[in-house]
Structure formats: C-alpha cells, structure tokens
Amino acid sequence: MITRSTKIFLELLATLLVLVAIAVAVAAWRLSTGPISLGFLTPLIEDAINSSTEAATIKLDDTVLAWSEAHRTLDIRAVGVRVLGPDGMQMAELPEVAISLSGRALLRGTIAPTRFDVLGAQIALTRLPDGSFDVPSAGDSGGQSSSWLPILLHEFVSPPNRERAMGALSEVRISDASVTITDLGTNRIWRAPSANIQMIRDAAGLRAQARLVVEFGGMPTQLTATALYDAGANQIDITARTTSIQFDALAELDPRLAQLAALKMPVSGSTQMRLDSAGRLLGLGFNLNGADGVFSDPKWYPEPLRIRQLRIRGTASAKLERIDVAEAVIDLNGPSVALVSAITGLDTRPQITIDGTVRAVPVNDLRVLWPQGVGQNARRWITTNLSGGTIEETKFSVALAAADPSFAGFGAERVSGNLRVVGVDVNYLSPMPRVRNVSGTVTLGLKRIDIAVTSGGIDNLRVTEGKIAFTQLDTNDEQADINVAITGPLREALRLL
C-alpha cells in the first residue's frame, strides 16, 4: 500500500524529471542555435591564468558553452583571448581556446584548467643568428597569435602541481594552425600552412607530437615529429620523419650545405635533433634513403651521373662545422659504392676525407664514373691505358680541400687506391702491343701507379707474373719500370725488346 508521503514524493520526482527533460531539450535547442554565454566564468578563468604568471595578462572577451561536432562533447571556450604585456600593450590575440577544467578543483571552489585546445592559431617564430628562437611581438608579426606560447610553455615545462591554478594543466592541443619561421641566419622564411600539435606534461617532462605540412623546396612535404623536453637536463630531443623530400632542397637549410644542391633525388627517412631550451642545435643525426636520382655538377661530371639507390646515415655537430657520414651506400646502376666520410671546416677551409669500396665496375665505365679533379694524373693514365674487363673491387682513400667556404680551388690533396682487376687490356708502353686479359692488382697514388700482374697475354705469349711501375705522373717526364715473366715462342718474345 502506497502511503500519502510516498505518493507526494513520487509526484515531485516525476515533476522534477519532466523539468530536467524540458531544460535539457531547451538547452539542446539553444546550443543548436549557437554557443551559450557563461560570462560569470570569465573573471574566474582570467584570475586562474593570471595568478600563475607575471610576464603578461590574459583578457577574455567572453566564455561560452558550445557543442563540438568533432568530439561530440560540450566545450567551455574562451573567445577573444588577448595577451597583454607588462606595459598593457597587446602582444597577441587568439580567436578561440577550448578549456577543460579540473572537476576536483571545482569541488574546492577553484578554477584549474587541465587542457587547452587552441583552434586556428597562426604561430610566428624567429630564428636568431645564434640559432636560438624568439617570438615576435604583435607589432613585428602583424598581430599573429604566437606571443602567448613562451608564457604557456614556461608554465607548462614545470612539474605538475595541483596546488597552483595552472599546476593541473596536463595537455595542450593546437589544431588547424599555421607556422611561419623567419630565419635571420639564412634570410629565409619557412612555412607550414597546416600544423597539428599535441603537448602532454607528466612527471617525466614535456612530450609533444606534431603533424605538419611544410613547404620545402617549393613542394608541400608531410612531416611528423615527436619531442621530449627533459627539465633536468634542460634540453629537447626531437625525432622528425618525412615521406619524401628533394635532397637538393636540403641546401636551403644553411649556406654551408650549398653543395648538396648537386644531388637531385627524392629521399625519405628520419632526423634526430638535440636542442637546448632556447632552441639552439646541440647536435643531430640523420638516416636517409633515396632512389632514381642524378648527381649534376660540371666540376665533377660533364654529364649527370645517374644513381639508382642511395642510403646514407651520419651525424652533424652543433654549428655544422663537422659532418660525419658513418655509412653511405650508392648503387650506380650496377657498380656499387660503400663509403665513410668526414667533412670539416665548412666555415673556413672545407676539408673532406673519404674512405670506401667500389665493386663491379666495368673498366670502360671509369671515364664516366671517376670524378674529374680527383687524382687527375692517375685518372688520366688509367682511363687512357686500361680497357675492357672489370674492376672487381677498389678500396680507396681520398682527402679533398678547398680554399674557402665557397669551395673555390677544390681539389685532391691525397689519393690512394687498390684495384683488383680481371680481364683488362693494358697499354703499358706505346707503340708496344697491349697486354691482354690481365688479372692482378693496381695500386695508385697522386704521382705513381703500380700494377702487379698475375696473368695475361701478348698474342701467343703468356705473362705468368709481372710488375709495372709508372712514376712522376705529375710531370711531363713520366717514367716506366717494367719487369714481367713471360712464356712462349722466342721469336715473339724478341719482338718485345
């Protein structure tokens, strides 16, 4: 049996539910027509943010409740966010920032943001000649919305502290943004017309992920990056990956990399960078792969050199004064090159050392593959006097130098190599008949070439062993010392005397 008091309670509950349903329906209808102003929250949010920093003052035009179609949630959004400097001048303006608040803090009567979603920001940065980054004021950047970032990041890199109003902030998302970097060191402007960035703060530090479309070499390039800020070490580690960029576009990064413009090839891969807290480079590593390109530089090759595949990895120092190539593997449409290299003195007197191995080179292709100006005397003699057959393997070491950073007077200071040849014809002394089908080794330097023959023949004569030395190749008085052992008809042997 239902008592009178129970009946009254049920009637009141039903009435309350109806009122709630009507309120929800009215609120849903109202939200469908546009955001609902929550102006009473505006001064509370301003106080919460401004109490955490003295570098600037935040002013909001309004705070609204809006429906997010993207996330299918109700958002509290700050509209017309203005950043004022200590002098009261406006530094930046953001059209809209979505704010998530700490429920635990609300129960204590405190406004404590836990997440900011920045929508449609235009981020402008300046890279100074010393490599550090600065943020232009609104007057310098046309009022772009980036000057708030150092203020936010200064707070964000501190360890979480829920006792402070901004201490609960754990995530910042920047969506549908554009980024412009003005590099005062190279006088270039870099643009990323599309950028989405997520930053998360935890006890380990600050982590970030980014997806950007970067205008690189005149083409839009997809770039993804992850970053970790270590507050203890006060440094930032970044790993960036790209699907495809033109290798010659890398020359735009720094004037000292201008020589890279000679290699025209699409490459993909990753780059690891370590920066200090100001954004100055402390060091980087790279790992790139490319295919179907050409090396085009008339100083080295009269005709472009075709490259089927390229793999290269290495490191660079903080100021790019040294670049070390730990591995480079180059497929030249059959012949292959594996090398290591060190490049120093890019700011003063560039020097390059290369040590490598070349395999499966047809001797007749040497005229095309051997770069001009490297071991010029040895190159001239070998390409003139060796023909046919194959160089199965060449181990070489080269030291190159230039007079200044423009690579003027670039040439070889040291060249050495050891070639293992098979089936080669050798014109050891004109007009004497050639030694044909020679197998053996060729040792070369800047001024001399030594050939150790293990087999070969001259007409009906067989060469069982021999040593041929060509010296003074850097003069007009070249010398030859020939000592070979032959077997065969005496009459034909006498013709060689």
Side-chain angles (χ1 to χ4, degrees):
M1 179 177 180
I2 300 177
T3 64
R4 179 176 176 79
S5 60
T6 302
K7 183 177 180 181
I8 294 173
F9 171 76
L10 292 175
E11 289 174 350
L12 291 172
L13 180 60
T15 302
L16 180 61
L17 291 174
V18 170
L19 291 175
V20 169
I22 293 173
V24 170
V26 171
W29 169 80
R30 178 64 182 83
L31 283 169
S32 69
T33 64
I36 300 173
S37 177
L38 302 177
F40 67 93
L41 283 178
T42 299
L44 299 176
I45 294 175
E46 288 178 345
D47 290 343
I49 297 175
N50 292 330
S51 65
S52 297
T53 179
E54 299 178 356
T57 301
I58 305 298
K59 292 292 185 181
L60 312 180
D61 288 346
D62 196 8
T63 305
V64 300
L65 183 67
W67 175 255
S68 171
E69 287 290 345
H71 300 97
R72 311 296 294 177
T73 58
L74 288 173
D75 286 346
I76 297 175
R77 298 181 184 176
V79 179
V81 181
R82 288 170 290 124
V83 183
L84 307 179
D87 57 0
M89 296 293 292
Q90 180 171 307
M91 298 169 58
E93 183 175 2
L94 290 169
E96 194 172 78
V97 178
I99 303 173
S100 297
L101 301 177
S102 168
R104 182 181 301 177
L106 286 174
L107 293 177
R108 301 196 307 265
T110 302
I111 298 293
T114 60
R115 188 179 78 189
F116 289 150
D117 284 292
V118 182
L119 309 175
Q122 296 176 321
I123 302 172
L125 300 172
T126 299
R127 185 173 184 265
L128 303 177
D130 68 353
S132 63
F133 282 85
D134 195 10
V135 183
S137 66
D140 295 330
S141 60
Q144 301 302 314
S145 55
S146 62
S147 298
W148 64 279
L149 282 174
I151 302 166
L152 177 61
L153 291 175
H154 176 74
E155 171 62 34
F156 206 35
V157 297
S158 303
N161 182 0
R162 296 189 178 275
E163 298 302 319
R164 302 170 62 243
M166 290 286 285
L169 184 64
S170 61
E171 183 177 2
V172 174
R173 293 182 181 178
I174 303 173
S175 304
D176 300 325
S178 64
V179 180
T180 301
I181 300 177
T182 301
D183 192 335
L184 300 182
T186 61
N187 293 319
R188 293 186 180 275
I189 297 177
W190 303 92
R191 292 185 175 89
S194 175
N196 293 278
I197 305 168
Q198 179 188 35
M199 295 179 286
I200 298 176
R201 175 173 67 172
D202 55 26
L206 177 63
R207 293 177 288 117
Q209 295 181 331
R211 298 190 309 277
L212 306 96
V213 176
V214 181
E215 294 178 356
F216 201 71
M219 299 291 292
T221 300
Q222 297 283 343
L223 181 69
T224 61
T226 59
L228 174 64
Y229 174 75
D230 186 338
N234 201 30
Q235 62 188 24
I236 306 166
D237 289 314
I238 300 175
T239 298
R241 293 180 173 83
T242 182
T243 53
S244 180
I245 61 173
Q246 289 296 322
F247 193 91
D248 56 337
L250 297 175
E252 300 179 10
L253 294 174
D254 192 284
R256 291 167 294 183
L257 303 180
Q259 300 300 316
L260 298 182
L263 180 56
K264 305 181 187 305
M265 171 185 286
V267 295
S268 60
S270 63
T271 302
Q272 299 79 38
M273 292 176 284
R274 175 162 290 177
L275 314 176
D276 65 14
S277 58
R280 287 183 289 262
L281 181 68
L282 299 177
L284 67 82
F286 52 87
N287 192 335
L288 301 174
N289 296 275
D292 299 325
V294 295
F295 183 87
S296 180
D297 188 335
K299 294 194 304 293
W300 303 103
Y301 296 99
E303 299 294 332
L305 179 67
R306 299 196 61 81
I307 299 176
R308 180 187 296 170
Q309 286 187 323
L310 168 69
R311 184 174 74 250
I312 182 170
R313 63 179 178 86
T315 60
S317 61
K319 297 182 180 179
L320 297 182
E321 70 272 11
R322 181 183 180 94
I323 299 174
D324 289 287
V325 177
E327 178 190 42
V329 179
I330 308 168
D331 184 342
L332 299 172
N333 289 302
S336 64
V337 183
L339 60 85
V340 297
S341 178
I343 306 169
T344 60
L346 289 175
D347 285 331
T348 54
R349 184 174 181 265
Q351 293 183 302
I352 303 175
T353 60
I354 305 172
D355 295 282
T357 302
V358 186
R359 292 184 173 87
V361 178
V363 169
N364 291 341
D365 289 350
L366 278 178
R367 191 180 300 273
V368 175
L369 299 178
W370 192 328
Q372 297 186 13
V374 177
Q376 187 170 349
N377 298 320
R379 180 186 187 278
R380 183 182 66 252
W381 193 93
I382 287 180
T383 56
T384 300
N385 295 291
L386 300 187
S387 61
T390 302
I391 303 175
E392 293 187 329
E393 181 180 82
T394 299
K395 293 186 179 296
F396 68 92
S397 180
V398 179
L400 309 169
D404 56 51
S406 69
F407 280 77
F410 194 50
E413 292 187 335
R414 172 177 55 81
V415 174
S416 63
N418 189 277
L419 294 66
R420 190 172 74 244
V421 300
V422 175
V424 177
D425 293 348
V426 180
N427 179 24
Y428 65 95
L429 185 64
S430 295
M432 301 297 289
R434 292 173 176 265
V435 182
R436 301 189 180 278
N437 200 28
V438 170
S439 294
T441 60
V442 180
T443 302
L444 57 88
L446 278 176
K447 301 179 181 180
R448 66 177 291 152
I449 296 174
D450 293 277
I451 303 175
V453 180
T454 57
S455 65
I458 303 174
D459 295 333
N460 293 322
L461 300 174
R462 297 294 92 197
V463 178
T464 57
E465 65 175 324
K467 293 182 179 181
I468 307 173
F470 299 93
T471 59
Q472 301 183 34
L473 297 181
D474 58 332
T475 70
N476 293 324
D477 186 24
E478 300 174 352
Q479 301 292 313
D481 183 7
I482 303 171
N483 186 358
V484 296
I486 59 175
T487 61
L490 177 61
R491 179 177 297 179
E492 292 194 23
L494 292 176
R495 288 196 300 114
L496 301 179
L497 300 178

